[in-house]
Amino acid sequence: MSASLSHVVLVFCAGIGIPIMAALNSHLGGQIGTAKATVILFALAMCISVVFLCFQPQGANKNWQGFFPDHVENYFYLGGTLVAFYVLSITYVAPIMGVANAIVLVLFGQIISSVLIDHFALFNAVMVKLTPERVLGIILMCSGIYLARKS
């Protein structure tokens, strides 16, 4: 399966949104508290997701039976836990260390975990073996991230 330009643009825009979300939510967290800001963020995200679901062909059937199918292993639902951990962490830490520094650490973590997931095809991901070229690319990306944030 190959990515089209629209896929690339979509994910690029999502990437742009992450530090914006971090800055907005960390400020909101400073005003009303980390937990409250995170609950508001997820409540809005859930509302938007439900509206999106209702406009999907499979979402037109308002029968929610089978929403959590038996054939899916339970650990695949832990993504919500991880995104909550991310938002709570970034909302708490960004005002202390700065949005850019917090995101730099997130990027390092994303690079390491994504390479491991791809290389070992974890969680039923597509296997993308770690080659010397990929290792060089990862080193260059990490070096670039480090140099961009070095004071």
Side-chain angles (χ1 to χ4, degrees), residues 100-109 111-112 137-151:
N101 288 328
I103 295 296
V104 162
L105 293 171
V106 167
L107 288 173
F108 281 131
I111 289 169
I112 291 165
I138 292 162
I139 291 169
L140 290 173
M141 285 193 320
C142 290
S143 300
I145 293 168
Y146 172 77
L147 291 173
R149 290 308 309 155
K150 187 176 178 197
S151 302

Side-chain angles (χ1 to χ4, degrees), residues 28-141:
L28 183 62
Q31 300 296 310
I32 66 172
T34 298
K36 287 180 186 176
T38 301
V39 168
I40 290 169
L41 180 139
F42 282 114
L44 290 170
M46 183 177 153
C47 291
I48 292 166
S49 297
V50 168
V51 168
F52 183 78
L53 175 67
C54 289
F55 284 101
Q56 300 301 300
Q58 70 272 21
N61 179 359
K62 301 298 189 255
N63 181 359
W64 291 79
Q65 185 178 10
F67 199 72
F68 295 101
D70 292 334
H71 67 277
V72 176
E73 292 92 356
N74 289 335
Y75 67 86
F76 282 105
Y77 297 111
L78 291 176
T81 303
L82 294 171
V83 75
F85 174 72
Y86 166 74
V87 173
L88 284 163
S89 299
I90 208 79
T91 301
Y92 175 72
V93 171
I96 296 167
M97 67 181 346
V99 172
N101 288 328
I103 295 296
V104 162
L105 293 171
V106 167
L107 288 173
F108 281 131
Q110 286 178 333
I111 289 169
I112 291 165
S113 64
S114 63
V115 166
L116 292 173
I117 290 168
D118 281 356
H119 181 73
F120 295 108
L122 301 175
F123 314 115
N124 293 343
V126 174
M127 181 179 283
V128 181
K129 286 291 186 184
L130 193 56
T131 63
E133 293 84 10
R134 287 192 80 209
V135 170
L136 178 61
I138 292 162
I139 291 169
L140 290 173
M141 285 193 320

Side-chain angles (χ1 to χ4, degrees), residues 1-12:
M1 181 183 306
S2 83
S4 68
L5 179 60
S6 62
H7 293 124
V8 171
V9 170
L10 178 67
V11 176
F12 178 77

